[in-house]
């Protein structure tokens, strides 16, 4: 591609889009995009405001249907030439605001044009927009034609059966799981738990020698979704400020905000949607014992026993050991520290032995920087950590079992 020529084309396109775009300018836009090579087309679409482009080119009651022609050009005739990031950006632009019937059909076309690992990569791009406009919202809210939605989901299901990813999506609660915020009085309020970020990273990395794809962390929260996505976007910003790499968030609702069973109900609904969006993946869930997560994890395992590999529960209410063991038999593992969680995760085969050591180092370093509210609080947490560090040390020093 001649970069100088492509840059001039981009300048022309931006000029045509500036201010009011009349029918002649719209026609010029269509001619410019039609005549561009594949490389030029991707360059133009990657560097222009796609949402503005789609809104500038109109259909008319009397006159040419340039908007329809533009969607046909990009989503059908030349869709195979688009890179996955450009294709995902195009879907996000179609998703923004009210998603009309024509846009839903073109979104369907963009999904159905991809297969196997390309489809998985495309979905992950749509889920990594770093705001509330994610894949789950697209498929279950923005595409509101049931027939079109089922067409997309059936295609996803067929491709997942043919090409499983071999990796896990990591689902996590936020409050009292990622940081101390509701019922947990063992740490100062808003403390990010020692080792939690490293634990997420190891679950994402997986147990093999070759790391899995980064970016498979999704938060499942009872915090309500609002129509503008303000609460979800604020949640994302809070997570970013605390060092979390860009995740997706599956939000709750005001109706499901009160009561552990209602919270579990909404989280389970979200999980079922997410399972349909990513059936080629396995799943692990990290929650806490304070707000419906045990019930949610139990329902996950019952609904998809082959897909859900383990549930890890941060114990913030001092659950009796006998109760912990009862849940353990169902693949729900209670823990006091994220070092303890890492030991359990290794034993069920979802992180590596080296991963346990990395979580242990991160937890020990983080613990040293916490300003506890009292010496007694600090000593109790250090005792728990020392106990689990000993378990981790014994594990990492032992011979490697076959297959690990």
């Amino acid at each position: 591609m001649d970069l100088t020529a492509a840059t001039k084309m981009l300048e022309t396109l931006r000029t045509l889009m500036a201010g009011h775009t009349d029918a002649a300018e719209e026609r010029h836009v269509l001619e410019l995009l039609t005549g561009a090579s594949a490389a030029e087309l991707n360059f133009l679409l990657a560097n222009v405001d796609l949402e503005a482009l789609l809104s500038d080119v109109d259909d008319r009651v009397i006159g040419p249907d340039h908007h329809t022609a533009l969607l046909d050009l990009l989503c059908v005739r030349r869709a195979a030439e688009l890179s996955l990031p450009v294709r995902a950006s195009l879907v996000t632009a179609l998703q923004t605001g009210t998603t009309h019937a024509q846009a839903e059909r073109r979104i369907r076309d963009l999904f159905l044009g991809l297969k196997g690992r390309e489809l998985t990569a495309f979905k992950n791009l749509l889920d990594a927009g770093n705001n509330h406009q994610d894949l789950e919202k697209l498929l279950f809210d923005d595409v509101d034609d049931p027939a079109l939605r089922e067409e997309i989901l059936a295609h996803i299901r067929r491709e997942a059966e043919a090409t499983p990813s071999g990796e896990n999506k990591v689902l996590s609660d936020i409050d009292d799981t990622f940081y101390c915020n509701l019922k947990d009085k063992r740490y100062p309020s808003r403390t990010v738990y020692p080792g939690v970020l490293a634990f997420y990273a190891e679950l994402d990395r997986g147990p093999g020698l070759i790391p899995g794809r980064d970016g498979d962390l999704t938060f499942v929260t009872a915090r309500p979704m609002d129509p503008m996505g303000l609460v979800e976007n604020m949640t994302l910003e809070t997570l970013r400020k605390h060092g979390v790499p860009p995740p997706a968030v599956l939000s709750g609702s005001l109706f499901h905000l009160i009561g552990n069973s209602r919270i579990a109900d909404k989280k389970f609904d979200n999980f079922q949607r997410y399972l349909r969006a990513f059936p080629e993946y396995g799943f692990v869930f990290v929650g806490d014992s304070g707000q419906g997560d045990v019930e949610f994890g139990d329902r996950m395992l019952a609904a998809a026993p082959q897909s859900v590999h383990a549930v890890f529960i941060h114990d913030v209410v001092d659950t009796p050991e006998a109760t912990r063991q009862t849940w353990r038999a169902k693949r729900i593992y209670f823990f006091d520290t994220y070092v303890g969680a890492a030991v359990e995760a290794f034993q069920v085969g979802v992180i590596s032995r080296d991963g346990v050591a990395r979580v242990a180092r991160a937890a020990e370093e983080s613990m040293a920087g916490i300003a506890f509210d009292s010496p007694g609080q600090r000593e109790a947490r250090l005792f728990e950590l020392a106990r689990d560090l000993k378990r981790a040390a014994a594990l990492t020093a032992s011979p490697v079992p076959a297959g690990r």
Side-chain angles (χ1 to χ4, degrees):
M1 181 183 71
D2 184 335
L3 185 57
T4 300
T7 301
K8 288 182 179 179
M9 293 172 69
L10 179 62
E11 291 172 357
T12 300
L13 180 58
R14 286 173 172 166
T15 299
L16 291 168
M17 291 170 58
H20 173 71
T21 307
D22 60 27
E25 290 169 323
E26 292 173 4
R27 186 168 57 253
H28 193 169
V29 168
L30 287 167
E31 291 169 351
L32 181 67
L33 297 176
T34 300
S37 67
E40 290 167 341
L41 182 63
N42 278 285
F43 175 80
L44 293 173
L45 297 181
N47 289 283
V48 76
D49 184 338
L50 283 175
E51 186 181 343
L53 174 64
L54 295 176
S55 63
D56 284 347
V57 179
D58 301 316
D59 284 350
R60 289 170 171 77
V61 176
I62 300 175
D65 289 338
H66 285 155
H67 185 75
T68 296
L70 177 63
L71 292 184
D72 181 66
L73 174 69
L74 299 182
C75 302
V76 181
R77 288 162 48 202
R78 302 201 65 180
E81 301 172 65
L82 301 182
S83 69
L84 290 181
V86 166
R87 187 185 289 245
S89 295
L90 180 57
V91 169
T92 299
L94 289 168
Q95 178 186 11
T96 302
T98 302
T99 308
H100 298 289
Q102 182 176 212
E104 292 184 24
R105 290 194 296 272
R106 293 314 183 211
I107 289 170
R108 181 269 319 273
D109 294 337
L110 289 168
F111 272 93
L112 268 58
L114 294 171
K115 294 182 178 294
R117 299 201 183 283
E118 275 199 323
L119 179 60
T120 295
F122 177 61
K123 291 187 297 176
N124 280 316
L125 285 169
L126 289 170
D127 214 38
N130 214 13
N131 59 36
H132 73 289
Q133 301 278 38
D134 52 28
L135 181 66
E136 185 261 350
K137 183 176 184 298
L138 171 70
L139 293 178
F140 295 97
D141 291 332
D142 297 319
V143 176
D144 53 18
D145 182 320
L148 287 175
R149 180 189 300 127
E150 188 50 44
E151 199 174 348
I152 296 170
L153 291 171
H155 177 65
I156 288 172
R157 186 169 58 250
R158 286 192 298 270
E159 293 304 310
E161 291 170 356
T163 318
S165 76
E167 297 188 36
N168 292 325
K169 287 287 183 183
V170 182
L171 306 183
S172 178
D173 183 49
I174 298 175
D175 298 313
D176 290 345
T177 300
F178 169 65
Y179 65 0
C180 181
N181 196 39
L182 289 176
K183 294 192 175 182
D184 191 1
K185 306 304 179 185
R186 303 171 311 145
Y187 286 86
S189 180
R190 296 303 178 97
T191 297
V192 175
Y193 292 113
V196 62
L197 288 170
F199 185 61
Y200 290 153
E202 295 304 328
L203 289 173
D204 196 0
R205 179 187 180 94
L209 293 176
I210 300 175
R213 187 196 79 93
D214 286 338
D216 285 322
L217 174 61
T218 296
F219 285 92
V220 186
T221 175
R223 297 176 183 190
M225 165 65 86
D226 60 280
M228 299 296 292
L230 297 178
V231 173
E232 190 165 307
N233 288 339
M234 286 173 59
T235 298
L236 284 164
E237 181 60 26
T238 297
L239 292 168
R240 280 193 293 270
K241 286 180 178 177
H242 286 93
V244 180
V249 172
L250 304 178
S251 295
S253 68
L254 287 172
F255 175 77
H256 293 90
L257 192 59
I258 305 299
N260 285 353
S261 291
R262 282 187 175 181
I263 289 170
D265 284 345
K266 181 56 180 174
K267 287 183 175 181
F268 185 66
D269 288 345
N270 284 340
F271 169 67
Q272 289 183 304
R273 287 182 169 193
Y274 209 60
L275 181 62
R276 295 188 73 191
F278 287 106
E280 66 270 49
Y281 278 85
F283 294 86
V284 294
F285 173 61
V286 188
D288 66 84
S289 58
Q291 207 179 25
D293 287 345
V294 177
E295 180 183 342
F296 167 53
D298 192 30
R299 293 174 68 180
M300 286 176 66
L301 286 158
Q306 302 304 313
S307 298
V308 180
H309 298 305
V311 171
F312 302 100
I313 296 295
H314 185 216
D315 192 13
V316 299
V317 295
D318 198 19
T319 302
E321 184 61 29
T323 304
R324 290 188 179 202
Q325 291 304 319
T326 299
W327 284 116
R328 185 183 185 83
K330 294 186 174 185
R331 289 186 288 156
I332 297 177
Y333 304 94
F334 282 65
F335 64 91
D336 299 307
T337 76
Y338 276 92
V339 179
V343 171
E344 300 283 7
F346 170 76
Q347 290 173 341
V348 298
V350 293
I351 72 171
S352 68
R353 188 183 298 273
D354 287 345
V356 177
R358 286 189 286 267
V359 174
R361 285 195 297 271
E364 201 166 11
E365 290 170 5
S366 297
M367 184 69 83
I370 297 174
F372 284 96
D373 295 332
S374 69
Q377 188 185 55
R378 179 177 182 275
E379 289 305 315
R381 301 295 76 76
L382 287 174
F383 174 82
E384 290 172 344
L385 181 61
R387 179 200 62 206
D388 287 344
L389 285 170
K390 187 175 180 180
R391 292 173 63 204
L395 181 69
T396 54
S398 62
V400 180
R404 288 285 175 86

